[in-house]
């Protein structure tokens, strides 16, 4: 889910020794640092002349920073309790610019086309099935205003605690599978942090993300692997732990 730097609050679960904060719905963890792609979304929010959208906000740390930059923020999460916590920890002077929008993106979300300035999807895409990814990117493209950008950060299989999956992933790539990172049996592969993760994963890489974004019409501004220096030692592998993308609606 999303990540950021914030003062500890008793409403938010205590971090694990690794520094990761479990989500309430067992859909992964929130980290306590801002990656460069999320930071670009936050920085760009200063110039927004329409609302920005965070999809899968968890406890809303990026949302809070975008609000502090003067943006109107639509904060979405699958778990309504996460958003209730966000509403409680949001400074009162910023609440008038915060819209809480619970539900599963894209099916449960009703937003007008061409109405959103920018979108952040941080560590969310790898929880979508192949069909859901296509639907989500199409919806994102439609609701963005012309020239609007989507910022995406997703996990890859290049993580130490998923090393048992790498051979399977590479074989799927060689055989031409379009989503070689898609699995429904994560317990067979993961060696750490499994207790707060779902069975289904759809790990991204640069090729899959490039194809899926361009297929719906996005132009790629930046796309590369992210070296997760702040990830726990049990997760860090070779500097390709995540993939980031910035794409533009032309």
């Amino acid at each position: 889910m999303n990540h950021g730097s914030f003062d500890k609050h008793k409403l938010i679960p205590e971090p694990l020794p690794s520094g990761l904060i479990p989500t309430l719905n067992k859909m992964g963890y929130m980290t306590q640092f801002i990656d460069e792609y999320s930071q670009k979304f936050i920085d760009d929010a200063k110039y927004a002349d329409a609302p920005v959208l965070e999809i899968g906000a968890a406890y809303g740390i990026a949302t809070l920073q975008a609000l502090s930059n003067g943006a109107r923020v639509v904060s979405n999460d699958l778990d309504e309790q996460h958003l209730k916590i966000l509403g409680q920890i949001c400074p009162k002077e910023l609440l008038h610019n915060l819209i809480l929008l619970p539900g599963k993106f894209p099916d449960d979300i009703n937003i007008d086309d061409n109405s959103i300035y920018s979108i952040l999807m941080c560590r969310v895409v790898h929880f979508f099935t192949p069909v859901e990814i296509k639907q989500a990117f199409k919806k994102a493209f439609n609701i963005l205003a012309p020239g609007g950008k989507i910022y995406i950060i997703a996990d890859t299989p290049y993580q130490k605690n998923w090393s048992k999956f790498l051979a399977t992933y590479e074989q799927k790539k060689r055989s031409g599978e379009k989503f070689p990172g898609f699995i429904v049996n994560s317990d067979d592969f993961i060696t750490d942090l499994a207790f707060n993760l779902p069975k289904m994963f759809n790990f991204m890489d640069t090729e899959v993300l490039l194809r899926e974004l361009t297929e719906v019409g996005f132009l790629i501004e930046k796309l590369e692997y992210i070296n997760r220096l702040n990830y726990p030692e049990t997760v860090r592998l070779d500097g390709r732990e995540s993939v980031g993308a910035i794409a533009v609606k032309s």
Side-chain angles (χ1 to χ4, degrees), residues 23-34:
T23 56
L24 300 177
N25 57 352
K26 294 190 177 297
M27 294 295 286
Y29 307 85
M30 185 181 74
T31 60
Q32 298 182 78
F33 54 87
I34 288 286

Side-chain angles (χ1 to χ4, degrees), residues 126-128 162 181-184 186 197-203:
H126 49 260
F127 294 127
F128 289 171
W162 289 95
F182 182 58
I183 57 174
V184 295
S186 63
L197 292 170
K199 304 294 185 185
M200 189 278 290
F201 265 83
N202 195 0
F203 288 113

